[in-house]
Amino acid sequence: MSNSDPSTNHLTVICIGDIHGYISKLQKLWTNLEALIDPLHFNTALVIFLGDYCDRGPDTRQVIDFLISLPTKYPEQKQVYLSGNHDLAFSAFVGVLPKPIDGAEFKEGWKEYEHNEEREGWFNGDGYESMHLQGRRWAGDIKDRFNVAKGFEYKGSIYDAAPTFHSYGVPHGSADLVKAVPDDHKKFLANMVWIHEEDDVSIETDDGIKHCKLIAVHAGLEKGKNVEAQLKRLKAKDTGVSKVEALSGRKNVWDIPQELTEKPTIIVSGHHGKLHIDGLRLIIDEGGGLPNNPVAAIVLPSKKIVRDTDNVLKEI
């Protein structure tokens, strides 16, 4: 991206899709981004990681080490780490989720989904009594091993969490993970945000460059529900719900809510196992945590897609 690029006078925003425990993919993607973007703009970019750092791939511990190292290595960048649904569940298991705002106990959220407990083999080991539902599901032992929807076997639990346990040197479903996860990793998990907003982000469109508000959230915002109320709960990280739709929904969070179409708003997410660019709705999850799929990023204003598999040396 040379200085002739018309977008060079605008803030560079890099949104990186789901990593799912693949350190080599993350390293290659970062190298490609650094090679393609003018150093001045790369080093001062806003970098938004869209969540799901753990599970499926073998290197969750190394991925988090890499992410933690970035603020020191790139002090003029602003890095934002969104929580994905997998990261929320990991956080729940190691005990770093905030308590529900209304003072309720986490176990009160189990009832709504208890019909799934046997099939999903919820965690019942040390500490389960005070655990958020998603932590119990994450460390569970799913009974039917084959994931029909994805066409492969689950790795330990419905979240495919076994590789995360193994990356910290403990067996899947072991309560020893709580001690095995270093304090700086727990701090990283505790500090993840559920939503990030920017008031002025530039994006190239068919009508030229537009200045828009940007909302980054792992899965999306629910349609048919008041946006301000959703944003308030997400900013507060309200764990009083058993399933946070903005982090784990599917069709109900795919589109931009109607009320946000009146003032141009970019909504960027990962989560959905697809690369989908439709106007101001950006879904960047080409990898889906699958071993042979790339990890992708989108760069704004240009909307250039960069992948770990790109042969950047040939492009330059």
Side-chain angles (χ1 to χ4, degrees):
M1 294 177 192
S2 69
N3 288 330
S4 61
D5 185 337
S7 67
T8 53
N9 294 325
H10 302 269
L11 172 68
T12 297
V13 181
I14 304 166
C15 301
I16 295 177
D18 301 28
I19 299 160
H20 277 302
Y22 287 100
I23 186 61
S24 61
K25 294 184 188 185
L26 174 58
Q27 289 169 331
K28 287 173 187 170
L29 175 61
W30 191 263
T31 298
N32 286 349
L33 288 164
E34 196 161 15
L36 282 167
I37 299 170
D38 179 283
L40 176 65
H41 299 113
F42 183 78
N43 290 326
T44 57
L46 168 64
V47 185
I48 303 174
F49 291 90
L50 297 169
D52 279 0
Y53 313 112
C54 62
D55 302 342
R56 298 192 177 138
D59 314 308
T60 289
R61 182 174 186 152
Q62 289 173 271
V63 166
I64 294 179
D65 279 335
F66 181 96
L67 298 174
I68 287 171
S69 76
L70 293 178
T72 301
K73 291 178 181 173
Y74 302 88
E76 293 183 53
Q77 275 185 357
K78 178 181 178 183
Q79 298 97 9
V80 172
Y81 305 104
L82 290 178
S83 174
N85 55 318
H86 286 255
D87 313 310
L88 181 146
F90 182 9
S91 303
F93 188 78
V94 298
V96 298
L97 274 190
K99 298 294 183 190
I101 289 170
D102 64 4
E105 297 292 327
F106 282 140
K107 65 182 178 184
E108 291 176 33
W110 302 348
K111 300 186 188 83
E112 186 180 354
Y113 295 95
E114 61 189 7
H115 57 283
N116 294 326
E117 180 172 3
E118 185 177 351
R119 180 179 69 85
E120 294 179 355
W122 293 358
F123 175 78
N124 278 320
D126 289 350
Y128 89 92
E129 301 92 342
S130 58
M131 191 176 288
H132 189 280
L133 169 68
Q134 300 306 332
R136 296 192 64 198
R137 296 179 74 223
W138 184 76
D141 182 19
I142 193 160
K143 298 297 177 275
D144 186 351
R145 287 290 182 190
F146 194 73
N147 182 340
V148 176
K150 292 199 158 103
F152 57 76
E153 289 203 350
Y154 287 109
K155 297 177 179 179
S157 71
I158 198 164
Y159 276 98
D160 299 311
T164 298
F165 280 83
H166 298 158
S167 78
Y168 288 97
V170 298
H172 175 68
S174 170
D176 290 342
L177 183 69
V178 178
K179 291 178 184 172
V181 173
D183 286 345
D184 57 346
H185 287 213
K186 287 178 182 168
K187 184 179 179 183
F188 172 84
L189 293 170
N191 288 342
M192 290 182 301
V193 295
W194 289 9
I195 194 151
H196 180 75
E197 295 177 272
E198 290 285 329
D199 288 332
D200 184 9
V201 168
S202 303
I203 186 168
E204 288 186 10
T205 72
D206 293 339
D207 303 318
I209 286 195
K210 275 189 178 176
H211 290 266
C212 301
K213 183 180 173 71
L214 178 141
I215 296 174
V217 57
H218 180 65
L221 295 176
E222 292 178 81
K223 58 185 176 186
K225 295 194 175 179
N226 180 272
V227 169
E228 277 307 314
Q230 291 187 65
L231 296 178
K232 184 177 179 183
R233 291 192 76 166
L234 292 167
K235 287 175 194 170
K237 300 207 286 192
D238 184 2
T239 58
V241 288
S242 302
K243 183 183 179 192
V244 182
E245 291 295 336
L247 275 58
S248 57
R250 294 292 179 186
K251 290 180 181 177
N252 59 330
V253 297
W254 181 265
D255 296 315
I256 297 177
Q258 184 64 36
E259 67 181 278
L260 288 179
T261 59
E262 293 156 18
K263 181 186 176 187
T265 303
I266 302 162
I267 297 190
V268 60
S269 303
H271 181 64
H272 294 278
K274 290 182 172 64
L275 182 70
H276 173 80
I277 311 293
D278 182 11
L280 299 180
R281 182 61 171 127
L282 313 177
I283 294 173
I284 315 298
D285 180 23
E286 206 166 22
L290 300 178
N292 297 322
N293 287 8
V295 172
I298 191 167
V299 183
L300 302 178
S302 67
K303 292 197 291 191
K304 181 174 179 64
I305 301 297
V306 182
R307 300 172 176 88
D308 69 289
T309 51
D310 293 344
N311 190 341
V312 167
L313 291 176
K314 284 187 178 179
E315 291 187 33
I316 294 173

